[in-house]
Each structure stands twice: as C-alpha cells, then as structure tokens.
Amino acid sequence: MSKAPIGSKANPSEFDVLDKIADDEPYFVIRAHDPLSSALVELHAYIGAGQAGAAHNKLAEIMALTSARAPRPASSPKYRETFAISLAMEQWRDTHGD
C-alpha cells in the first residue's frame, strides 16, 4: 500500500493547522475534488512568497479556466456562504490580532 499524499488527513503537512484552529476562528477548506484547487493553492503560495509575476500568470490561468463557464453559478448558496466566511475571517483578525 502506498503512503497517503502529503496534506491529506492520513498524512498531514508539517504546517497543518487544523488542530490549532480556535473554536471561534473561521476557516475555509479547499479539497482536491475542486477543479480549481491546485491552481488556487499554487496562487496562494506565489503571493505568500512574493513572486508577483508567477502569481499574475497563475491568476491568468485560473481566469482562462473559468472564462468559458464558471464551476458554479454566481447565485450559488455555496458562494454566498464563501463570501460570508471571508468577511468573518476579516472580522476575526480585526478582533484577535496576530
């Protein structure tokens, strides 16, 4: 049997934070099942590493993937909830600091 891939429940990343999330801290999970998942995670890594050119290219790739047809309609309840989570994250940081 092969080893579970890094970042999975069976083989968490060295930097996995699920056990460290406060009970009131909002979080968002991107699963491999999402067709944009790998590109979004890579975009996050480029931005965090300060690689603006690579981030720009990856964002262009994501936009090209979704230009013909978005994975879900903009009116999807899942997207409304995603925006609510984003706002909750911003508000949580404002009240909890670093």
Side-chain angles (χ1 to χ4, degrees):
M1 185 166 136
S2 65
K3 187 175 181 180
I6 189 163
S8 64
K9 280 172 64 171
N11 185 17
S13 158
E14 173 185 352
F15 305 101
D16 189 272
V17 297
L18 285 180
D19 291 341
K20 298 175 185 172
I21 295 172
D23 288 341
D24 68 336
E25 182 178 356
Y27 66 95
F28 184 82
V29 174
I30 300 174
R31 295 176 55 201
H33 180 74
D34 185 318
L36 298 175
S37 62
S38 58
L40 290 170
V41 171
E42 193 172 341
L43 175 64
H44 175 78
Y46 286 140
I47 291 169
Q51 296 181 14
H56 181 271
N57 293 342
K58 186 52 65 173
L59 181 56
E61 180 184 316
I62 291 167
M63 297 308 294
L65 288 170
T66 60
S67 65
R69 185 177 69 82
R72 283 184 200 85
S75 61
S76 164
K78 188 170 186 174
Y79 286 133
R80 286 195 302 273
E81 182 175 279
T82 301
F83 285 116
I85 292 169
S86 174
L87 177 60
M89 288 173 164
E90 187 175 336
Q91 292 170 338
W92 190 89
R93 279 192 313 273
D94 288 346
T95 60
H96 289 77
D98 284 338

